[in-house]
Coordinates of all heavy atoms in Angstrom, one line a residue:
Y73 N 84.5 42.8 133.5 CA 85.6 42.9 132.5 C 86.6 44.0 132.9 O 87.9 43.7 132.8 CB 85.0 43.3 131.2 CG 84.2 42.2 130.5 CD1 83.0 42.5 129.8 CD2 84.5 40.9 130.7 CE1 82.2 41.5 129.3 CE2 83.7 39.9 130.1 CZ 82.6 40.2 129.4 OH 81.8 39.2 128.9
K77 N 90.7 43.5 133.7 CA 91.8 44.3 133.0 C 92.6 45.1 134.0 O 93.8 45.2 133.9 CB 91.1 45.2 132.0 CG 90.4 44.5 130.9 CD 89.5 45.5 130.0 CE 88.7 44.7 129.0 NZ 87.8 45.6 128.3
L119 N 90.7 53.5 127.7 CA 89.7 52.5 127.4 C 88.4 52.9 127.9 O 88.2 53.0 129.2 CB 90.1 51.1 127.9 CG 89.1 49.9 127.5 CD1 89.9 48.7 127.2 CD2 88.1 49.7 128.5
V120 N 87.4 53.2 127.1 CA 86.1 53.5 127.5 C 85.3 52.2 127.3 O 85.0 51.8 126.2 CB 85.5 54.7 126.7 CG1 84.1 55.0 127.2 CG2 86.4 55.9 126.8
Q121 N 84.8 51.6 128.4 CA 84.2 50.3 128.3 C 82.8 50.4 127.7 O 82.0 51.2 128.1 CB 84.1 49.7 129.7 CG 83.5 48.3 129.7 CD 84.5 47.2 129.1 OE1 85.7 47.4 129.0 NE2 83.9 46.2 128.5
A122 N 82.6 49.6 126.7 CA 81.3 49.5 126.1 C 80.5 48.3 126.7 O 81.2 47.4 127.2 CB 81.4 49.2 124.6
P123 N 79.2 48.3 126.8 CA 78.3 49.3 126.2 C 78.2 50.5 127.1 O 78.3 50.4 128.3 CB 77.0 48.5 126.2 CG 77.0 47.5 127.3 CD 78.5 47.1 127.4
F134 N 84.4 57.5 121.2 CA 85.6 56.8 120.6 C 86.3 57.7 119.7 O 87.6 57.6 119.6 CB 85.2 55.5 119.9 CG 84.6 54.4 120.8 CD1 83.6 53.6 120.3 CD2 85.0 54.3 122.1 CE1 83.0 52.6 121.2 CE2 84.4 53.3 123.0 CZ 83.4 52.5 122.5
D144 N 92.0 50.5 122.3 CA 90.9 49.7 121.9 C 90.8 49.6 120.3 O 90.1 48.7 119.8 CB 89.6 50.3 122.4 CG 89.0 49.5 123.5 OD1 89.2 48.3 123.6 OD2 88.2 50.2 124.3
F146 N 89.3 51.7 118.4 CA 88.0 52.1 117.9 C 87.9 53.5 117.3 O 86.9 53.9 116.7 CB 87.0 52.1 119.1 CG 86.8 50.7 119.7 CD1 86.2 50.6 121.0 CD2 87.1 49.6 119.1 CE1 85.9 49.4 121.6 CE2 86.9 48.3 119.6 CZ 86.3 48.2 120.9
C165 N 91.1 44.7 120.4 CA 91.8 43.6 121.2 C 91.2 42.2 120.9 O 92.0 41.3 120.9 CB 91.7 44.0 122.7 SG 92.5 45.6 123.0
T166 N 89.9 42.1 120.8 CA 89.4 40.7 120.7 C 89.7 40.1 119.3 O 90.3 39.0 119.3 CB 87.8 40.7 120.9 OG1 87.6 41.2 122.3 CG2 87.3 39.3 120.8
I194 N 83.1 45.8 117.2 CA 84.1 45.4 118.2 C 84.8 44.1 117.8 O 86.0 44.0 118.0 CB 83.5 45.3 119.6 CG1 83.1 46.7 120.1 CG2 84.5 44.7 120.6 CD1 82.5 46.8 121.5
T301 N 91.8 38.7 124.8 CA 91.4 40.1 124.7 C 92.3 40.9 125.7 O 92.8 42.0 125.3 CB 89.9 40.3 125.0 OG1 89.2 39.5 124.0 CG2 89.5 41.7 125.0
Ligands
GUN16 N1 83.0 45.8 125.4 C1 83.1 44.5 124.9 N2 84.3 44.3 124.4 C2 85.0 45.5 124.5 C3 86.3 45.9 124.2 O1 87.1 45.2 123.6 N3 86.6 47.2 124.6 C4 85.7 48.0 125.2 N4 86.1 49.2 125.4 N5 84.5 47.7 125.5 C5 84.2 46.4 125.2

Side-chain angles (χ1 to χ4, degrees):
Y73 293 142
K77 293 169 189 176
L119 182 144
V120 183
Q121 183 68 27
F134 295 146
D144 253 334
F146 294 164
C165 300
T166 300
I194 294 180
T301 296

